[in-house]
Amino acid sequence: MHPILKLIVQRVALGIMLLFAASILIFGGTMMLPGDVAQQILGQSATPENLANLRESLGLDEPPVSRYFQWLGGILQGDLGTALTNGRDIAESLGGRLKNTLFLAFWAAAISVPLAIFLGLLAVRYKDRIPDKVISAVTLTTISIPEFMIGYVLIYWISIRLGWFSSVAIINDSMSLGEKLNAIAIPVMVLTLVVLAHMMRMTRAAILNVMQSAYIETAELKGMGMLRIIAKHAFPNAIAPIVNVVMINLAYLVVGVVVVEVVFAYPGMGQYLVDHVAKRDVPVVQACGLIFAAVYIGLNLIADIVSILANPRLRHPK
């Protein structure tokens, strides 16, 4: 088997194992949540007999191991289960929510990724000079502030003081693309500021590491301009670590968007998860947790595969 194919198969197998381990942790963690979902559904006035009957009908009286394998078997068949609090199919409820979360993450990524790479290249071009120092100072400031605080500051200035955009990011299928983009403008700004610094600094570090190579010095001795050296030689050879950090931050844009969705009342998976954690709706929490884990592991798996394919030593083994 070719070394590249062998490594890709190993990475995919590892990703599947990690997802299986994550499912165990998610299921075990939800079992330790405080409270009683049967009590939550029936209220404080429910009799012990009614509570026992409801627990039995919901399967809550079965052993945890049996419940786990029933849940995992349903997942493998595409059945995420039924919400305990409203009896609705979880997959159906999550469909629109996941689409909204991916919509928000897509536009945040569409702005933050090119901007981060551009700022990283600019910082390398003017290394240790004023542009580099200003970019580093601004991005370090944004990464040091919690996203909910950035959100509230932007709401105050952009929404309340300037009145440019709404402070509540409510979207639905009847809205046009322009209306949706107007609604999510401030959340996209928050997410962009949160992930921009990490991607920019890693891009800068990766390119600077390549700039120390002998072939870069050769290009300089030939009289090649700095911008051309960075674009033609340094950036293509630094693509693997850049892709890694981009994928990690894309995973954050999907998985770590919970706080931003809550702040802006955005109808995404994060808001849906928080609502059902409060209700102790275990199947919903498990389904959301597993989807978030699958997205995170999947994007990191893609980053690993890109790194393998970008490695010339693996592409051309001796």
Side-chain angles (χ1 to χ4, degrees), residues 45-252:
S45 60
T47 64
E49 291 79 10
N50 289 337
L51 291 173
N53 291 334
L54 181 58
R55 292 191 190 102
E56 183 179 357
S57 65
L58 296 176
L60 300 177
D61 58 339
E62 296 182 14
V65 175
S66 174
R67 292 166 58 190
Y68 168 74
F69 282 108
Q70 289 178 10
W71 172 69
L72 184 61
I75 294 292
L76 294 176
Q77 296 176 20
D79 180 13
L80 297 178
T82 304
L84 299 180
T85 51
N86 56 23
R88 295 187 60 185
D89 183 71
I90 296 174
E92 182 181 341
S93 300
L94 277 178
R97 297 279 187 157
L98 179 59
K99 183 178 70 173
N100 289 343
T101 293
L102 293 177
F103 179 76
L104 179 60
F106 170 80
W107 286 106
I111 295 173
S112 61
V113 173
L115 184 58
I117 293 174
F118 171 75
L119 292 177
L121 293 172
L122 190 64
V124 171
R125 173 65 181 84
Y126 297 99
K127 180 178 179 292
D128 296 330
R129 293 160 66 181
I130 291 178
D132 180 26
K133 293 178 180 178
V134 170
I135 292 170
S136 297
V138 172
T139 53
L140 276 176
T141 300
T142 59
I143 203 174
S144 303
I145 303 174
E147 54 260 51
F148 70 86
M149 184 172 291
I150 296 176
Y152 288 132
V153 170
L154 292 183
I155 286 173
Y156 175 74
W157 284 104
I158 297 178
S159 179
I160 298 176
R161 294 295 296 271
L162 299 176
W164 288 352
F165 302 107
S166 172
S167 61
V168 179
I170 300 296
I171 66 171
N172 55 65
D173 292 336
S174 64
M175 298 171 66
S176 66
L177 178 60
E179 291 172 333
K180 289 181 179 180
L181 292 178
N182 182 75
I184 67 170
I186 301 181
V188 166
M189 292 179 196
V190 174
L191 290 172
T192 298
L193 291 173
V194 169
V195 301
L196 183 65
H198 189 211
M199 288 191 289
M200 187 284 297
R201 293 186 65 81
M202 288 299 295
T203 299
R204 178 182 182 276
I207 296 176
L208 285 177
N209 184 55
V210 173
M211 292 290 288
Q212 298 174 4
S213 303
Y215 61 85
I216 298 294
E217 183 177 351
T218 302
E220 291 176 346
L221 292 174
K222 289 181 178 180
M224 188 178 292
M226 183 58 65
L227 284 176
R228 190 179 176 190
I229 290 174
I230 294 172
K232 187 175 180 180
H233 296 289
F235 181 71
N237 288 283
I239 197 68
I242 293 174
V243 167
N244 271 306
V245 73
V246 167
M247 286 299 175
I248 290 173
N249 282 277
L250 288 181
Y252 171 80

